[in-house]
Amino acid sequence: MPTENDTSIKDIFSKAEEAEKKDDTKKAIELYKAVTDEDNLNIPAYDKLMKLFRKSKEYKKELSLVNKAIKVYEAYYKMRWRKHSKTIDSISSKLNKSLGLTDKEGIHVYDPEPLGKWKKRKIIVQNKLKK
């Protein structure tokens, strides 16, 4: 059952989409920021904001947003990572290494989405800022 907070986030998001369709970029950015302030794990709002900053060539703001989103999701995934018994951790580690999901030190090779695409975008934005 959706809560009152969920409904308001959906309302703000739909208003932001309407503003975006009307080419009111400033209002759309403001509304998408309000969504991310209320729900800091809202991937579509982050993606839309990044897209709007990219379209308006505000690369510093886009980079700042990308860094914020990456930081929020890394903290989220770290918090959700559960420890299991030594046996399960050992088997999981061996399996991940054999499948190529981790390197020899046990560090994950692939980032869960949306981190992977955001880290790629971060590199692109940093290169644009160097020009």
Side-chain angles (χ1 to χ4, degrees), residues 7 9 11 23 25 29 31 48 53 61-63 67-68 84 95 105 122-124 126-128 130:
T7 307
I9 290 172
D11 290 342
D23 288 329
T25 305
I29 288 172
L31 290 167
K48 295 273 191 171
F53 286 140
K61 288 182 180 179
E62 183 182 1
L63 181 61
N67 286 331
K68 176 186 173 189
H84 302 94
L95 181 62
E105 288 80 35
K122 179 179 178 177
I123 293 168
I124 292 169
Q126 286 172 331
N127 288 336
K128 288 187 181 270
K130 288 179 184 176

Short mmCIF file of all heavy atoms in Angstrom, two decimals, residues 7 9 11 23 25 29 31 48 53 61-63 67-68 84 95 105 122-124 126-128 130:
data_model
loop_
_atom_site.label_atom_id
_atom_site.label_comp_id
_atom_site.label_asym_id
_atom_site.label_seq_id
_atom_site.Cartn_x
_atom_site.Cartn_y
_atom_site.Cartn_z
N THR A 7 3.15 8.99 -2.67
CA THR A 7 2.25 9.70 -3.56
C THR A 7 2.80 11.09 -3.87
O THR A 7 2.79 11.52 -5.02
CB THR A 7 0.85 9.81 -2.94
OG1 THR A 7 0.42 8.51 -2.57
CG2 THR A 7 -0.13 10.41 -3.91
N ILE A 9 5.90 12.06 -3.85
CA ILE A 9 7.08 11.93 -4.71
C ILE A 9 6.64 11.67 -6.15
O ILE A 9 7.18 12.26 -7.09
CB ILE A 9 8.02 10.82 -4.20
CG1 ILE A 9 8.67 11.26 -2.89
CG2 ILE A 9 9.08 10.47 -5.23
CD1 ILE A 9 9.46 10.18 -2.19
N ASP A 11 3.82 12.56 -7.47
CA ASP A 11 3.23 13.80 -7.97
C ASP A 11 4.31 14.79 -8.41
O ASP A 11 4.21 15.40 -9.48
CB ASP A 11 2.35 14.46 -6.91
CG ASP A 11 1.07 13.68 -6.65
OD1 ASP A 11 0.68 12.85 -7.50
OD2 ASP A 11 0.46 13.90 -5.59
N ASP A 23 9.51 22.24 -22.02
CA ASP A 23 10.82 22.87 -22.15
C ASP A 23 11.09 23.90 -21.04
O ASP A 23 11.83 24.86 -21.26
CB ASP A 23 11.00 23.52 -23.52
CG ASP A 23 11.18 22.49 -24.61
OD1 ASP A 23 11.73 21.40 -24.31
OD2 ASP A 23 10.78 22.75 -25.76
N THR A 25 13.09 23.90 -18.39
CA THR A 25 14.21 23.16 -17.81
C THR A 25 14.46 23.56 -16.36
O THR A 25 14.70 22.70 -15.52
CB THR A 25 15.48 23.38 -18.65
OG1 THR A 25 15.19 23.02 -20.00
CG2 THR A 25 16.62 22.55 -18.15
N ILE A 29 14.33 20.88 -13.34
CA ILE A 29 15.50 20.62 -12.50
C ILE A 29 15.14 20.80 -11.03
O ILE A 29 15.49 19.97 -10.18
CB ILE A 29 16.68 21.53 -12.91
CG1 ILE A 29 17.26 21.07 -14.25
CG2 ILE A 29 17.75 21.55 -11.83
CD1 ILE A 29 18.31 22.00 -14.83
N LEU A 31 12.23 20.52 -9.60
CA LEU A 31 11.33 19.47 -9.14
C LEU A 31 12.05 18.12 -9.01
O LEU A 31 11.81 17.38 -8.04
CB LEU A 31 10.14 19.35 -10.09
CG LEU A 31 9.15 20.52 -10.03
CD1 LEU A 31 8.19 20.47 -11.21
CD2 LEU A 31 8.41 20.52 -8.71
N LYS A 48 17.24 11.72 -14.95
CA LYS A 48 16.63 12.88 -15.61
C LYS A 48 17.41 14.17 -15.34
O LYS A 48 17.63 14.98 -16.23
CB LYS A 48 15.18 13.05 -15.15
CG LYS A 48 14.26 11.93 -15.53
CD LYS A 48 13.70 12.16 -16.90
CE LYS A 48 12.57 11.19 -17.17
NZ LYS A 48 11.86 11.49 -18.38
N PHE A 53 21.09 18.52 -17.11
CA PHE A 53 22.35 19.26 -16.99
C PHE A 53 23.20 19.07 -18.24
O PHE A 53 23.85 20.00 -18.70
CB PHE A 53 23.13 18.80 -15.75
CG PHE A 53 22.56 19.30 -14.45
CD1 PHE A 53 22.51 18.48 -13.34
CD2 PHE A 53 22.08 20.60 -14.31
CE1 PHE A 53 21.99 18.92 -12.13
CE2 PHE A 53 21.57 21.06 -13.11
CZ PHE A 53 21.52 20.22 -12.02
N LYS A 61 27.73 21.04 -12.70
CA LYS A 61 26.57 20.61 -11.92
C LYS A 61 26.29 19.12 -12.15
O LYS A 61 25.94 18.39 -11.22
CB LYS A 61 25.34 21.43 -12.28
CG LYS A 61 25.40 22.85 -11.77
CD LYS A 61 24.14 23.61 -12.11
CE LYS A 61 24.21 25.04 -11.59
NZ LYS A 61 22.99 25.79 -11.92
N GLU A 62 26.46 18.68 -13.39
CA GLU A 62 26.24 17.27 -13.69
C GLU A 62 27.26 16.40 -12.95
O GLU A 62 26.91 15.38 -12.36
CB GLU A 62 26.34 17.00 -15.20
CG GLU A 62 26.04 15.56 -15.56
CD GLU A 62 26.17 15.25 -17.03
OE1 GLU A 62 26.52 16.15 -17.82
OE2 GLU A 62 25.93 14.08 -17.38
N LEU A 63 28.52 16.82 -12.95
CA LEU A 63 29.56 16.08 -12.26
C LEU A 63 29.28 16.01 -10.76
O LEU A 63 29.42 14.96 -10.13
CB LEU A 63 30.94 16.68 -12.52
CG LEU A 63 32.12 15.98 -11.88
CD1 LEU A 63 32.23 14.55 -12.39
CD2 LEU A 63 33.41 16.75 -12.15
N ASN A 67 28.59 12.53 -8.75
CA ASN A 67 29.36 12.17 -7.55
C ASN A 67 28.43 11.91 -6.36
O ASN A 67 28.64 10.96 -5.60
CB ASN A 67 30.36 13.26 -7.20
CG ASN A 67 31.54 13.28 -8.14
OD1 ASN A 67 31.93 12.25 -8.70
ND2 ASN A 67 32.12 14.45 -8.34
N LYS A 68 27.42 12.74 -6.20
CA LYS A 68 26.46 12.57 -5.10
C LYS A 68 25.71 11.24 -5.25
O LYS A 68 25.59 10.48 -4.29
CB LYS A 68 25.46 13.73 -5.08
CG LYS A 68 24.37 13.56 -4.04
CD LYS A 68 23.33 14.65 -4.16
CE LYS A 68 22.17 14.35 -3.21
NZ LYS A 68 21.04 15.25 -3.42
N HIS A 84 27.85 -13.50 6.11
CA HIS A 84 27.31 -14.83 6.34
C HIS A 84 28.32 -15.63 7.15
O HIS A 84 29.34 -15.10 7.59
CB HIS A 84 27.04 -15.53 5.00
CG HIS A 84 26.10 -14.79 4.13
ND1 HIS A 84 26.51 -13.90 3.18
CD2 HIS A 84 24.75 -14.77 4.09
CE1 HIS A 84 25.46 -13.38 2.58
NE2 HIS A 84 24.38 -13.89 3.11
N LEU A 95 33.57 -18.99 -5.81
CA LEU A 95 32.68 -18.98 -6.97
C LEU A 95 32.81 -17.67 -7.75
O LEU A 95 32.92 -17.69 -8.98
CB LEU A 95 31.23 -19.19 -6.52
CG LEU A 95 30.17 -19.24 -7.64
CD1 LEU A 95 30.45 -20.41 -8.56
CD2 LEU A 95 28.79 -19.34 -7.04
N GLU A 105 42.26 -10.41 -5.47
CA GLU A 105 42.13 -9.90 -4.10
C GLU A 105 40.69 -9.96 -3.58
O GLU A 105 40.42 -9.58 -2.45
CB GLU A 105 42.64 -8.45 -4.01
CG GLU A 105 44.15 -8.31 -4.12
CD GLU A 105 44.64 -8.38 -5.56
OE1 GLU A 105 43.93 -7.89 -6.46
OE2 GLU A 105 45.74 -8.92 -5.78
N LYS A 122 30.67 9.80 -15.37
CA LYS A 122 31.58 10.67 -14.63
C LYS A 122 32.86 10.89 -15.42
O LYS A 122 33.35 12.03 -15.52
CB LYS A 122 31.90 10.04 -13.27
CG LYS A 122 32.86 10.84 -12.42
CD LYS A 122 33.10 10.16 -11.09
CE LYS A 122 34.10 10.94 -10.27
NZ LYS A 122 34.30 10.35 -8.94
N ILE A 123 33.40 9.84 -16.00
CA ILE A 123 34.62 9.95 -16.81
C ILE A 123 34.38 10.85 -18.02
O ILE A 123 35.21 11.72 -18.33
CB ILE A 123 35.11 8.55 -17.25
CG1 ILE A 123 35.57 7.77 -16.03
CG2 ILE A 123 36.21 8.65 -18.28
CD1 ILE A 123 35.80 6.29 -16.28
N ILE A 124 33.24 10.69 -18.66
CA ILE A 124 32.92 11.51 -19.84
C ILE A 124 32.81 12.98 -19.46
O ILE A 124 33.34 13.86 -20.14
CB ILE A 124 31.61 11.01 -20.51
CG1 ILE A 124 31.84 9.63 -21.12
CG2 ILE A 124 31.11 12.00 -21.56
CD1 ILE A 124 30.57 8.93 -21.57
N GLN A 126 34.12 14.50 -16.84
CA GLN A 126 35.43 15.01 -16.46
C GLN A 126 36.25 15.36 -17.70
O GLN A 126 36.93 16.39 -17.72
CB GLN A 126 36.18 13.98 -15.60
CG GLN A 126 35.64 13.88 -14.20
CD GLN A 126 36.24 12.73 -13.42
OE1 GLN A 126 36.65 11.72 -13.97
NE2 GLN A 126 36.31 12.90 -12.10
N ASN A 127 36.15 14.54 -18.73
CA ASN A 127 36.87 14.84 -19.99
C ASN A 127 36.31 16.09 -20.66
O ASN A 127 37.07 16.88 -21.22
CB ASN A 127 36.80 13.65 -20.94
CG ASN A 127 37.66 12.48 -20.48
OD1 ASN A 127 38.62 12.68 -19.74
ND2 ASN A 127 37.30 11.29 -20.90
N LYS A 128 35.01 16.29 -20.60
CA LYS A 128 34.41 17.50 -21.18
C LYS A 128 34.87 18.75 -20.44
O LYS A 128 35.06 19.80 -21.04
CB LYS A 128 32.89 17.41 -21.20
CG LYS A 128 32.37 16.44 -22.24
CD LYS A 128 30.87 16.53 -22.31
CE LYS A 128 30.33 15.56 -23.32
NZ LYS A 128 30.23 16.08 -24.65
N LYS A 130 37.73 19.15 -19.00
CA LYS A 130 39.14 19.40 -19.28
C LYS A 130 39.32 20.19 -20.56
O LYS A 130 40.33 20.87 -20.73
CB LYS A 130 39.91 18.09 -19.38
CG LYS A 130 40.10 17.41 -18.05
CD LYS A 130 40.86 16.10 -18.21
CE LYS A 130 40.96 15.37 -16.88
NZ LYS A 130 41.60 14.05 -17.04
#
